[in-house]
Amino acid sequence: MTIPVLPEPAFPDLESMLSRKFGRETANYFSGSPLNRVSFLRTDNSFLSAALKHPTTSFLVFHNLNPLAKDPSSLEYVSYADVQPLIGEDPYSKSEDQLISEYSSTVTIPQLLFLGLDERNQQGLTYSIYTGSPFFALDVTPKGTIQSQAESLVQSLQSRGLKFLEGRIQAALPAQDAAIYAQARALLDWNARNPFCAQCGQPTMSINGGMKRTCPPKDMASLAGAIGGTVGAAPTERPDCATRKGISNLCFPRTDPTVIMAVVSSDGRKVLIGRQKRWPPYWYSTLAGFVEPAESVEEAVRREVWEESGVKLGRVVIHSTQPWPYPANLMIGAVAQCIPGGEEIVLKHDPELEDARWAEMEEVKEALRVGTSALGESAQEGYKEGNLRLPAGTAIANQLLTAVANGFAGEAPKI
């Protein structure tokens, strides 16, 4: 698989005090979206209605969280005319308050997301002071009362020779398309995972362009149970729900912070790497783990490294971050250094790793040159079987290892 070029950071050539002190910013795969999310317009149904039907609008459709594409490296965007039979003439013709008052749990509403405006196209929609081509995402998975319409749309798209890319991770897309895909997939997955209110168990509905869910106070259907089936009936008042009071009246998408770290030895000459049992032979990566409640990033780095490898860390520095839409993680990349005498590897605490070891910098540099790939893919030409394998450049682990191999932890660290 050809590894795509990574996104450019914002203002890559701008000189500033921060760039002189810390070096050039690192932008990781799945970041670098070209879209302005204009999040403050998500509650404006007039804006969403205009954006929906504009001739420059693009829709990225998903089936079971798999995006529509021509091939693994080319997403396919469709038009309003394509999706109109599923979403209806205009799902934003009414205000959110009206839609909430008319909510019926017997009706399946197609999950539609507003992603943002591509302001590079000044021939796009102009609304107030904002101009750009609108982008939406749509779940076309057949379900509920829209099953027939969704099936027809899926068949129509497939008849054009298009396909929905299967597989857990899509890492062959151009960087900007990958960022749009990541935003859409994470939000569609979050909406699909939260059909019921966490407080009262009643069905919820998507609002704010797909960025929030609310627990309506009334239902046009009477419920047999919080998770049971429904039958049509006159509007019924729902039981009181804490989410409708105070400031916690909505459910927001979640992002789970995860730390991932390149750990260098106390003398700066070696890097700590580990592997899981399910990985291919000779394949290693950096260590990683979830941040726990009431824990700083630095504390999480030290805890995870000690739990998985027994190695004790001193200073921790944040290097860069990577959105990871599987399902909704933010990978917080760090570089950390072992304290003197803390380099002994002990795997008896947490059995997550099959092996952990210290690799010399030259071995890491050689692996970065010819031994990288996506998990299970072949290495580059020049790789010798039995040598170290590392993640591809689309993984933040690769960027962290590249940074330390290039002297990030040296006398004059540069990001």
Side-chain angles (χ1 to χ4, degrees), residues 75 193 224 316 373 391 400:
L75 294 177
R193 288 172 185 261
V316 176
S373 73
L400 296 172

Side-chain angles (χ1 to χ4, degrees), residues 195-240:
F196 301 104
C197 178
Q199 175 68 30
C200 70
Q202 300 289 329
T204 57
M205 68 178 293
S206 178
I207 60 173
N208 283 201
M211 281 293 294
K212 297 178 182 177
R213 298 192 70 87
T214 188
C215 181
K218 296 181 181 180
D219 193 345
M220 298 296 289
S222 60
L223 294 174
I227 306 180
T230 59
V231 293
T236 56
E237 293 284 345
R238 285 178 161 186
D240 286 341

Side-chain angles (χ1 to χ4, degrees), residues 42 48 92 96 111-114 206-212:
R42 292 173 185 150
L48 293 175
Y92 302 120
E96 285 189 351
Q111 186 58 62
L112 186 63
L113 308 174
F114 171 67
S206 178
I207 60 173
N208 283 201
M211 281 293 294
K212 297 178 182 177

